[in-house]
Structure formats: C-alpha cells, structure tokens
Amino acid sequence: MISEFVLLGLASTWELELFFFFIFLLAYAAIVAGNLLIVVTVTFDSHLHSTPMYFLLGNLSFLDMIISTITTPKMITGFLSEKKMISVWGCMAQMFFLHFFGGGEMTLLIVMAVDRYIAICKPLHYTTIMNRRVLTGSVLLSWCVGFVHTMSQMVFTISLPFCGPNVIDNIFCDLPLVLKLACTETYVLELLVIADSGLLSFICFVLLLISYTVILVTVRQRSSGGLSKALSTLSAHITVVTLFFGPCIFIYAWPFSSFSVDKFLSVFYSVITPLLNPIIYTLRNQEMKAAMNRLRKQHVSSRLSL
C-alpha cells in the first residue's frame, strides 16, 4: 500500500518551473488580495451588506479565494521541490474540500441568477422576496449542497486501496485521475463521478443560460431601452458562469479520455477563474468602486484622528 502520490505539475525543466513559480505566486497574491478586498468591502459597507446582490457577491469571492487556496499554494511549492509529493490523506482532503466548495459555488451561482431574475423582472417585489432570511437560507443551502456533493463521491473514494502506480499527471489531486490508480475495479465509481460532477455541472450550466435568456426576453418585451442595461448587468454573470462551468464540464463529463488540455483546464478552474472574478465585478461596477472609496476615506480619517 502506497502512502504518497506524485504530482507531475506543469513543467519538466528547472527554468520553466522557476518561471511558473513567480507567475503563479503573483497570480495567487492577486487572487487573495482581490477577493479579500471584495469580502471586506461588502462586509463593512452598510449599503452593500444590505443589498442582496452584493451579499451574494461577497460569498462568491470567499468561495473563489478558498478554492484557489486549496490547490494553488501546493502547486507553487511544488515548483521548487524536486519530488512533488502529497500524502494519500492530503490528496483525499484536497479532493474533499475542492468538491465541497466547488459544489457550493455551483449552487450559489444559481442563486445569483435567481436574484438577477427577480431584480430585473419583478423589481417591485425584489426587497420583499430577497429578504435577509431568504439570503441566509440560500447561502446555507449552497454549503449543504456542496457537502452532499462531495460526500456522495468521497465516501466511496476514501476506502479505495492504492498499491500500484502513484503518479498523478496534474497540478492537484483530481478525482478521475486518482480513481485510475486504485488497485480495484472502479467502473461504477467512475460512472458516479460522471453523473455527479460532470452531468451536474452541465445541467446547472444549461439552466443558468436558460434563466438568463428568459430575463433578456422578458426585458425586451417590456422595454427596448432596458435591454442594454440588462445586458450590461448580466454580461458579468454570464462570463463568470462560463468560466466556472466550462472547465468543470470538460474535466468531469469526459474524464476518462486522454485530453492534453486537462492541465490547462485545471489551471483555469483553480487560478484563472478566481483571478478574473474580482476584476470582472469591480472594474465594471461603479457602486463597488464607490464603496471602496468610502472605506478608504473612513480608514484615512480614522488614522488622522489618532
């Protein structure tokens, strides 16, 4: 029985590993700084904290930061290590939390789509429907869905025997690749992964696109002038949804074929998407910029008073 797995990573030469080390170190620093800035702004700005959309956005940024933290630091330290090892239990923990928070973010994106539908199509009832109790329940539901999602797969994976090859050709422990290394028949479990992660990602992605289409059609029927505003509001959400679900669908819906783009998709899912989310929301949103300026002025004035 083996006790460690080997993560091959992205590069095979020292020069490339050093280059990737600095690139991903800067990317991870930007991920933490950008998403943490959104979380702090939403938490301490009273106007944003009481607005449903920004409350959900703060939770999304928190999940993005956690998902990247699960995978990226291990990948960064691996660039400087000759032997890129991870223990079997460390690998299991990485997969557990990755699917836990990934399933939670999947559900949260659906909640955000419902929020935008109510805000655009039923504006008079928005504050009544999306009250604090509903928002808190929605966030708790996303965490529960993530827990059920990861437990439905990991409860079977954690008991698998590993006694042969221990090389994972990726930047982190990926469930389909780990299943291939088990010293037993995993065909049923592989189908479970496809049904649980792959088809779930695909179905959620299609449902989100349908919901955004319904919103745009409803706005167009009511007012042609409001269509451009709705497109501006939804474009950021559609971009985030595509960036999040795209790699998930390719990795888990067809996980047992040889795709040379698997590593690229893994980087995209764990690094690029969490990095782009704060950029998409903050640079396009004047209200978020104004809230950041208010907090900065409050911080400066409080330091001057001291």
Side-chain angles (χ1 to χ4, degrees), residues 9-11 20 23-24 27-28 31 67-68 71-72 75-76 79 98 169-172 174 243 247-248 251 260-276:
L10 293 175
F20 284 137
I23 291 296
F24 286 107
Y28 181 65
I31 289 169
I67 288 175
S68 183
T71 59
T72 309
M75 177 179 62
I76 292 173
F79 289 132
L98 190 62
D169 190 12
N170 211 324
I171 60 174
F172 56 79
D174 196 11
L243 293 176
C248 289
I251 291 174
S260 60
V261 296
D262 272 355
K263 289 185 181 181
F264 170 76
L265 293 173
S266 298
V267 171
F268 207 89
Y269 173 75
S270 60
V271 179
I272 305 300
T273 303
L275 179 63
L276 290 180

Side-chain angles (χ1 to χ4, degrees), residues 241-253:
V241 165
T242 303
L243 293 176
F244 180 79
F245 282 100
C248 289
I249 292 171
F250 275 99
I251 291 174
Y252 293 105

